[in-house]
Amino acid sequence: MKVWSAQGVMEFNISEVDSITFDGEEPIVGEFSVAYNKKVSFSPGNLQYVTSTNEWIFAQNQYDYIGIRNIVDKALADTIDLFAWSTDTDPSTAWGVTLEDNNDLFAGNFVDWGTAIGDGSTWRTLTSSEWEYLRASRTNAKQLIGVGAVNGNNGLIILPDNWVAPEGITFKSGYSSEEYSYTAFAEHQSFTAEQWAVMQQAGAVFLPCAGFRLGNSLAYMQLGGLYWTSSPHAAYGPRFASYFLFMCDGAGVGYDMRSGGNAVRLVRNL
């Protein structure tokens, strides 16, 4: 039996364990290689911020996202999950909880969202190269990633390094060959909430098509996912940063203005 903690992975013979007590920290799922000598596990859902309580939380389910409810009356809602890139430039843009579109206010150093949640040292944001390694360079990478729908929500399924399909579960890797559309994900493959619970127990991760925000305008919900990385995009100057992008027909790393609102999925080192 393996037990994951902030200090690493511990192994026990099951016969030696009388009981396990958790300290209330959110559970994590799977082991994923993000470099030849580095593995992580993912947070149990996308990052969310609640203004009224000044609290950082994870979505209740991996397939949950806030979508059009990020904006209410052209202002940020109380609970949001689309953030501008987090920098130390100006207090008004801290953690990306802002509708500010002046990109000069985002030209500073990256401040990891992981330092704002839990003990401040457990969670972190993947770099662009780590996303690319996970997507394309780890062993059997192409067989461990594929689009689909879970509980009616479109997104990207990423399987752990040592994936073993649970009984009754068939996973179809890769991307849709259908025309780009809302239905292409589910036409590729679809899982119920009950089926997903079994897959998640086996270590699977789901990134929902949470869309993106530009100012107070929202788009791409159920069509694509844009997830911030911790990597600036130096070739295009201090106003840009890299994100991990997927749609029904593919995935990869791109870049955008730092004031744009994208989703955030944190990981922890193993």
Side-chain angles (χ1 to χ4, degrees), residues 71 212-219:
I71 299 293
F212 72 91
R213 176 185 55 75
L214 185 61
N216 57 27
S217 298
L218 300 161

Side-chain angles (χ1 to χ4, degrees), residues 16-256:
E16 299 175 350
V17 179
D18 294 322
S19 63
I20 300 175
T21 301
F22 295 96
D23 63 3
E25 191 171 82
E26 294 85 352
I28 56 178
V29 291
E31 290 186 17
F32 300 81
S33 292
V34 294
Y36 78 95
N37 62 348
K38 184 186 300 182
K39 291 188 177 186
V40 302
S41 57
F42 281 79
S43 63
N46 282 3
L47 186 65
Q48 299 180 346
Y49 177 69
V50 185
T51 302
S52 58
T53 59
N54 190 30
E55 184 179 13
W56 294 91
I57 60 175
F58 296 125
Q60 184 174 357
N61 300 293
Q62 292 203 58
Y63 47 77
D64 290 342
Y65 68 96
I66 294 174
I68 61 172
R69 293 175 289 118
N70 274 275
I71 299 293
V72 177
D73 295 330
K74 298 184 178 181
L76 287 175
D78 185 52
T79 302
I80 63 171
D81 66 356
L82 296 176
F83 306 95
W85 207 58
S86 177
T87 72
D88 60 3
T89 313
D90 189 280
S92 68
T93 60
W95 311 113
V97 182
T98 178
L99 290 179
E100 178 61 61
D101 62 1
N102 178 1
N103 276 277
D104 290 336
L105 297 178
F106 298 89
N109 299 309
F110 177 70
V111 179
D112 203 308
W113 289 278
T115 62
I117 191 167
D119 62 7
S121 60
T122 297
W123 301 103
R124 70 176 181 89
T125 307
L126 288 172
T127 67
S128 59
S129 61
E130 287 174 330
W131 273 114
E132 275 293 271
Y133 189 93
L134 174 67
R135 180 190 71 86
S137 299
R138 62 179 172 144
T139 303
N140 297 323
K142 291 183 178 180
Q143 285 69 50
L144 297 175
I145 192 168
V147 296
V150 173
N151 195 35
N153 289 335
N154 295 336
L156 186 69
I157 299 167
I158 308 176
L159 302 180
D161 295 350
N162 58 350
W163 169 255
V164 176
E167 184 177 355
I169 296 296
T170 299
F171 174 76
K172 183 180 180 182
S173 62
Y175 304 95
S176 174
S177 60
E178 302 296 322
E179 185 178 350
Y180 179 68
S181 69
Y182 289 99
T183 60
F185 290 86
E187 289 170 353
H188 188 74
Q189 62 188 330
S190 184
F191 300 99
T192 66
E194 291 73 22
Q195 289 172 319
W196 178 251
V198 175
M199 294 176 68
Q200 179 175 272
Q201 185 67 28
V205 159
F206 185 71
L207 303 178
C209 290
F212 72 91
R213 176 185 55 75
L214 185 61
N216 57 27
S217 298
L218 300 161
Y220 267 48
M221 284 75 188
Q222 290 284 62
L223 284 173
L226 291 86
Y227 286 74
W228 279 125
T229 78
S230 62
S231 303
H233 202 282
Y236 289 88
R239 296 183 177 186
F240 291 84
S242 299
Y243 57 63
F244 177 68
L245 164 69
F246 63 85
M247 293 181 287
C248 67
D249 56 354
V253 171
Y255 63 93
D256 201 357

